[in-house]
Amino acid sequence: MRQKRGAASGLNVVMLGPPGAGKGTQAERLAQKRGLPRISTGDILREAVQRGTPLGSVAKAAMDAGRLVSDDVMIGIVQERLDRDDARHGFVLDGFPRTVEQASALDRMVNGRGSLVVLDVVVPEDVLVRRLATRRICGRCGSNAAVHWTSACEKCGGPLVARVDDDVEIVRERLKVYQRQSQPLVDYYSVRGTFHAIDGNQPADVVTAAVNAAIAAATAGGVAL
Ligand SMILES: [Zn+2]
């Protein structure tokens, strides 16, 4: 059984944002800064499948059949992860929740563990399309190319090539799907004082500063930064 904890004891963060918004980078930076685990749905799903947990097996069966993993299974896998010791002072969730049902389950999980801060990293669609469609990787070592790498990989000198899954039409479709799925979630959270939209159309360090400011505002009177 989980113990009830004081209201200010944990820093529980959900990061929302479309593909290409830089959400993963910001989640990683925030987690490191605060000494919290970054919990990415993709990672914990893979881990549950690899470990062959009961929920992992159900998830694997769904994925093998080309189906989405159900809300119930995702919720169970996240619950198991949040119950682990390293998440007792909080967490940075990346990729969960995806639906209102998952969000309401998360509210129940977080109940008694401190407040839930929701950060929505917002970037205009045209900027996302440009970012995703012009994303390059090194054809030799596979590194993601930094924006200022113009012709060759700065790590190994290899040629920069386009990622095959970043075709403009595919990118636009992915963003449309994201938008359709995430709007109910944003509606669910945006009425709360702990919801913050973050302008993601800025250099990564500026976005990081905005994330930290939002955390400070959301936890005012709580943990010092
Ligand atoms: Zn390289």
Side-chain angles (χ1 to χ4, degrees):
M1 293 303 281
R2 209 168 56 213
Q3 282 178 289
K4 286 280 179 186
R5 295 169 182 88
S9 65
L11 175 60
N12 310 302
V13 181
V14 165
M15 305 274 305
L16 304 177
K23 169 175 62 97
T25 302
Q26 298 301 331
E28 189 60 48
R29 288 181 178 184
L30 178 60
Q32 278 186 10
K33 182 180 171 69
R34 306 304 293 253
L36 300 172
R38 171 195 172 193
I39 300 176
S40 130
T41 321
D43 290 347
I44 58 172
L45 200 51
R46 258 190 304 279
E47 194 195 320
V49 169
Q50 271 167 11
R51 289 167 65 194
T53 67
L55 286 168
S57 305
V58 177
K60 184 178 188 307
M63 290 187 291
D64 286 350
R67 285 182 280 113
L68 286 174
V69 178
S70 71
D71 273 349
D72 282 352
V73 172
M74 271 322 301
I75 288 165
I77 288 174
V78 170
Q79 173 81 67
E80 284 182 353
R81 182 64 188 84
L82 296 190
D83 280 344
R84 279 203 236 156
D85 205 41
D86 66 342
R88 71 190 186 283
H89 296 305
F91 51 79
V92 180
L93 261 177
D94 172 6
F96 183 94
R98 287 241 161 101
T99 65
V100 170
E101 188 181 342
Q102 292 178 2
S104 107
L106 180 63
D107 281 338
R108 291 192 293 277
M109 294 178 213
V110 169
N111 185 23
R113 296 170 58 131
S115 63
L116 183 70
V117 181
V118 180
L119 304 179
D120 186 18
V121 183
V122 180
V123 176
E125 186 184 320
D126 283 349
V127 176
L128 291 172
V129 170
R130 210 179 319 135
R131 280 189 190 173
L132 291 167
T134 60
R135 192 156 58 173
R136 300 285 185 273
I137 59 170
C138 172
R140 189 181 298 161
C141 74
S143 295
N144 288 309
V147 186
H148 64 273
W149 295 6
T150 46
S151 55
C153 173
E154 289 195 1
K155 290 185 183 160
C156 77
L160 301 182
V161 298
R163 288 168 42 125
V164 280
D165 58 341
D166 285 348
D167 174 76
V168 170
E169 285 314 305
I170 297 172
V171 165
R172 285 206 186 273
E173 186 53 35
R174 267 166 73 201
L175 293 175
K176 247 187 234 118
V177 169
Y178 174 83
Q179 184 60 32
R180 201 162 50 229
Q181 288 175 343
S182 66
Q183 194 54 53
L185 208 50
V186 171
D187 293 342
Y188 178 83
Y189 282 130
S190 59
V191 294
R192 303 182 183 183
T194 52
F195 174 90
H196 292 263
I198 304 286
D199 178 3
N201 190 19
Q202 313 179 80
D205 290 347
V206 180
V207 178
T208 300
V211 164
N212 290 328
I215 295 286
T219 59
V223 203
L225 279 169

